[in-house]
Amino acid sequence: MIQQVTRGIKISVETSFEGTFFKNYKMHFAFGYKITIENQSKDSVQLTSRHWQIFDALNSIEIVDGEGVIGKKPVLKPGESHTYQSGCLLASPIGAMRGHYNMVNFTTTKKFRVFIPTFKLSAPFALN
């Protein structure tokens, strides 16, 4: 598990390899990830949007920006957490993801970023 804390918001990431399949006559590698966002600060916060950079071993980079996470913009009071699962497709069996969440602090009304640590995506058969 990969973890990182930014401004009292702890991000924990677990990954899994989901399998391979063909799409548009090309082999794709499916990966899942589970993220837990834990508010360890003393203020209530809301996740408003996300930014991802997805890398594969073929030097391809995909940028993904969007509102919330899986259709939600969770509000987290101090001590609360939000967990969700999602996934991505890579053209190679090895890659990585990193990014950030845009958040707002309800006490100060200030916006801030919470960094998602870089995490590796690798198919078990691709490892030495």
Side-chain angles (χ1 to χ4, degrees):
M1 177 184 299
I2 304 290
Q3 297 179 329
Q4 182 170 331
V5 178
T6 307
R7 293 189 178 197
I9 308 301
K10 180 179 178 182
I11 305 297
S12 303
V13 184
E14 295 178 59
T15 63
S16 59
F17 175 66
E18 302 296 326
T20 59
F21 66 95
F22 282 92
K23 178 180 174 186
N24 298 331
Y25 303 105
K26 292 182 184 175
M27 176 75 85
H28 286 79
F29 302 86
F31 295 92
Y33 55 88
K34 180 170 101 172
I35 296 187
T36 300
I37 304 160
E38 182 182 347
N39 185 357
Q40 298 178 334
S41 77
K42 61 183 184 338
D43 300 324
S44 292
V45 298
Q46 182 175 26
L47 186 155
T48 57
S49 62
R50 68 191 183 283
H51 172 83
W52 285 111
Q53 296 174 339
I54 306 168
F55 307 89
D56 70 21
L58 303 174
N59 284 331
S60 172
I61 300 173
E62 181 180 359
I63 304 295
V64 177
D65 290 295
E67 295 292 313
V69 290
I70 60 167
K72 297 180 181 175
K73 294 182 180 180
V75 174
L76 302 172
K77 294 177 184 171
E80 291 185 339
S81 65
H82 177 77
T83 300
Y84 73 95
Q85 292 183 304
S86 192
C88 69
L89 295 176
L90 298 181
S92 69
I94 297 174
M97 291 177 66
R98 72 173 173 225
H100 65 264
Y101 296 123
N102 292 308
M103 313 276 285
V104 64
N105 180 313
F106 283 162
T107 303
T108 64
T109 68
K110 294 192 184 219
K111 296 178 180 177
F112 65 101
R113 284 185 177 171
V114 172
F115 295 96
I116 305 162
T118 301
F119 56 93
K120 295 178 183 176
L121 303 167
S122 56
F125 59 80
L127 302 176
N128 287 338

